[in-house]
Amino acid sequence: MQNYSKEAIYDYLKGVMVDLFEIDENAITADANLYEDLDIDSIDAVDLVVKLKEFTGKKIQPDDFKHVRTVNDVVEAVYKMLNDASNSETAAEPEAVETTTNAG
């Protein structure tokens, strides 16, 4: 899995919002409120989650996005999700242990 910086996540999110919702790129700032400033409604939010799922390759947990209000909140939630997923996947994989035998 590829690790994405917060900047890469922000750039992707900004592109999706411009393409999918036809929002002016200049209106999309880290502090912009999704619902009040960018006029994203519940149907738009579902479309956004679908795009984020495609981007991350992960199932989006509703609890992860429960308190998301701003563009930066989305970036942070996606970043955390990607890092938590990569950490748990790494921890779940057993380490290879080399064994040698003395056939002496």
Side-chain angles (χ1 to χ4, degrees):
M1 178 173 83
Q2 184 175 355
N3 288 329
Y4 290 98
S5 67
K6 290 180 183 180
E7 184 178 347
I9 295 166
Y10 175 77
D11 289 343
Y12 174 81
L13 182 61
K14 195 172 185 178
V16 166
M17 294 173 123
V18 168
D19 292 343
L20 202 60
F21 309 130
E22 299 178 359
I23 296 172
D24 178 9
E25 186 174 355
N26 295 323
I28 303 168
T29 64
D31 295 328
N33 185 291
L34 298 173
Y35 309 104
E36 295 170 12
D37 300 329
L38 303 178
D39 292 324
I40 290 181
D41 61 24
S42 58
I43 302 225
D44 293 338
V46 170
D47 291 340
L48 185 57
V49 167
V50 169
K51 287 294 187 183
L52 291 172
K53 182 179 177 184
E54 291 172 6
F55 177 70
T56 64
K58 303 287 178 195
K59 182 175 181 187
I60 307 293
Q61 299 299 326
D63 286 348
D64 292 342
F65 288 84
K66 192 173 180 179
H67 300 290
V68 166
R69 297 290 178 263
T70 66
V71 171
N72 191 59
D73 291 343
V74 176
V75 171
E76 291 292 332
V78 171
Y79 184 79
K80 180 178 183 270
M81 182 181 64
L82 288 172
N83 285 331
D84 286 351
S86 65
N87 289 341
S88 64
E89 286 172 11
T90 303
E93 293 177 13
E95 290 186 28
V97 178
E98 285 188 36
T99 57
T100 57
T101 56
N102 260 341

